[in-house]
Amino acid sequence: MTNKIKLLLKEKNAVLLAHNYQPPEIQEIADLCGDSLELSIKASKTDADVILFCGVHFMAETASILSPEKTVLLPRQDAGCPMADMITPDALTAKLKELPPMPVVTYVNSPASVKALSTICCTSANAVKVVNSLPDDEVLMAPDRNLAQYTAANTAKKIHFWEGYCPIHDRLTPEDVQKVRQAHPDAVFMAHPECRPEVLELADTIVSTSGMIRYAAESESNEFIVGTEAGLLHPIQKANPGKKFFPASAAMICPDMKVITLEDVARSLEFMEGVVKVPEDIRVPALKAVERMINL
Ligand code: 13P
Ligand code: SF4
C-alpha cells in the first residue's frame, strides 16, 4: 500500500501533508508532518498540483483557501472537528451585534465561512502574538474558550470569548494530571492551550503540538507528561528516542483524527476522490484573515 501511494503521489504531482495527531502509518508516508501553523504555511508554498491532506476538514479547507488553483483532497469526508462545528457564520454575526465594534480573531479550527467573517486567524502556536499585533484594546476570540482564556492571561487586552471547546482536550482534569505526576514525579508536564485553565495552571510549558516536540528536544529533562491528543506520542518519541513520554490521560484520543487509513489515501489519490473546494465568495474574505496571520 505504501509503495502504491508513493507511486500515485509522483504520478499526480501530489504532496501529502499530515497533522501530528494522524496514525503512525500515515505520518510515516507524509511529505510533511506538523502542527496547524506549519501545515498552513507548507500548503501555501508547495508547487504540487495536488495537496492530499491527512487531517480534518477545516485543515483541507485552509489549504483550498490558500491554493485555489490546486486540487485539495481529504481522503475521508467524515473527518471533521467537533470544535469547528460549534460555530456558524450566523451565530457569529449575532454575537457581534451584541458587542461594541471589535476585531475577531478566529482559531484555524473553524469553518471557512467563519474565517470569512474574521479579522485575522490564529493557531495554538501564535494566538498571543496575533492578538497583540492588533491595535484594538478589545478582541473577540472564537471558537475555543480555553485558547481565548489562555491568551487573556498573556495579554493586556480584554478578550471576549466564544463558548466552544475541543472535547478531547477539555476532558483532561487536574486530577488526571496529578495521578500521572505521582507515578512520574520527575516528568515535565507539557499542556496544549486547548486544555482547561485549571489544567494549564499545572503545566511547566504551554505550547502547540510541534512546540511540544521542540520543547522536549531542547529540555534537559528525560521524562515528559504529554497533555494533548495521543497521536503526538508517535512523532515526539521518534524525535526524542532517548526520552520517555507518558500520556496525561488515556482518554485523549480524537476519533476524527483516526479515520483516515492507507487504503483511503490510495483510493483518494487514484480516483481524485474527496475534493475540498471553498467557493470564491467565501474563499476571498477568508484568505485575507489567513494571509494576515501567515504574514505576521
Ligand atoms: P496544533 O497542531 O496547532 O497544536 O493543533 C491542535 C489541534 O487540536 C488540531 O486539531
Ligand atoms: Fe478538533 Fe480537538 Fe480533534 Fe483537534 S483534537 S480535530 S480540535 S476535536
Side-chain angles (χ1 to χ4, degrees), residues 94 96 104 113 139 208 221 238 278 296:
L96 285 170
V104 182
S113 52
V139 168
S208 75
S221 298
K238 193 175 163 189
V278 176
L296 183 73

Side-chain angles (χ1 to χ4, degrees), residues 21 56 58 80-83 109 166-169 194 229 254 257:
Y21 295 157
V56 293
F58 74 79
C81 167
M83 169 155 59
N109 299 32
C166 162
I168 317 308
H169 288 82
E194 286 176 18
E229 206 275 338
C254 175
M257 280 286 182

Side-chain angles (χ1 to χ4, degrees), residues 1-294:
M1 196 50 75
T2 302
N3 287 340
K4 181 175 176 178
I5 292 169
K6 282 187 180 154
L7 284 174
L8 282 165
L9 284 168
K10 248 196 211 144
E11 190 186 300
K12 309 275 181 178
N13 188 25
V15 66
L16 199 163
L17 305 183
H19 188 266
N20 285 328
Y21 295 157
Q22 286 290 295
E25 66 276 15
I26 301 280
Q27 295 196 30
E28 290 303 319
I29 51 156
D31 295 299
L32 182 101
C33 299
D35 65 10
S36 303
L37 182 61
E38 291 167 338
L39 295 176
S40 306
I41 292 172
K42 177 75 182 180
S44 73
K45 289 190 175 156
T46 177
D47 53 11
D49 295 319
V50 177
I51 297 174
L52 186 126
F53 224 112
C54 290
V56 293
H57 193 259
F58 74 79
M59 296 180 175
E61 274 192 338
T62 304
S64 167
I65 289 167
L66 288 161
S67 309
E69 73 295 351
K70 298 187 200 311
T71 304
V72 178
L73 301 173
L74 178 70
R76 286 277 293 265
Q77 293 303 297
D78 55 342
C81 167
M83 169 155 59
D85 293 342
M86 289 178 192
I87 189 164
T88 63
D90 286 352
L92 176 58
T93 306
K95 172 96 180 168
L96 285 170
K97 279 189 188 144
E98 291 167 12
L99 295 168
M102 67 182 67
V104 182
V105 175
T106 298
Y107 193 26
V108 285
N109 299 32
S110 57
S113 52
V114 169
K115 292 184 176 77
L117 298 178
S118 307
T119 314
I120 185 167
C121 286
C122 75
T123 74
S124 60
N126 62 16
V128 176
K129 188 175 179 178
V130 165
V131 165
N132 285 338
S133 76
L134 297 167
D136 314 69
D137 295 330
E138 291 188 42
V139 168
L140 171 64
M141 289 187 77
D144 187 3
R145 61 159 142 77
N146 291 339
L147 181 67
Q149 287 177 95
Y150 162 71
T151 308
N154 289 282
T155 179
K157 293 180 196 287
K158 179 167 183 189
I159 307 291
H160 300 259
F161 57 87
W162 193 265
E163 267 300 337
Y165 58 92
C166 162
I168 317 308
H169 288 82
D170 200 64
R171 69 173 63 127
L172 182 65
T173 64
E175 293 72 34
D176 293 329
V177 176
Q178 271 141 12
K179 239 189 243 168
V180 188
R181 268 214 159 131
Q182 266 162 16
H184 307 286
D186 296 331
V188 168
F189 174 44
M190 305 185 291
H192 194 278
E194 286 176 18
C195 294
R196 290 170 179 228
E198 58 269 31
V199 167
L200 297 183
E201 257 176 43
L202 303 175
D204 295 300
T205 183
I206 301 165
V207 273
S208 75
T209 54
S210 290
M212 288 185 190
I213 298 175
R214 284 190 289 272
Y215 184 88
E218 285 160 15
S219 166
E220 284 177 5
S221 298
N222 284 317
E223 297 190 357
F224 302 86
I225 300 166
V226 181
T228 194
E229 206 275 338
L232 187 71
L233 290 164
H234 174 73
I236 205 166
Q237 186 67 75
K238 193 175 163 189
N240 299 280
K243 302 194 175 189
K244 285 190 178 153
F245 298 92
F246 309 103
S249 153
M252 292 182 82
I253 296 174
C254 175
D256 287 274
M257 280 286 182
K258 311 301 175 199
V259 291
I260 297 172
T261 63
L262 291 175
E263 286 76 9
D264 293 327
V265 173
R267 194 187 52 248
S268 173
L269 271 175
E270 190 169 4
F271 303 109
M272 299 299 265
E273 246 179 54
V275 174
V276 173
K277 185 142 184 73
V278 176
E280 277 303 286
D281 59 329
I282 292 176
R283 190 190 74 80
V284 173
L287 177 65
K288 273 195 194 145
V290 176
E291 263 184 347
R292 212 169 155 187
M293 170 188 80
I294 290 180

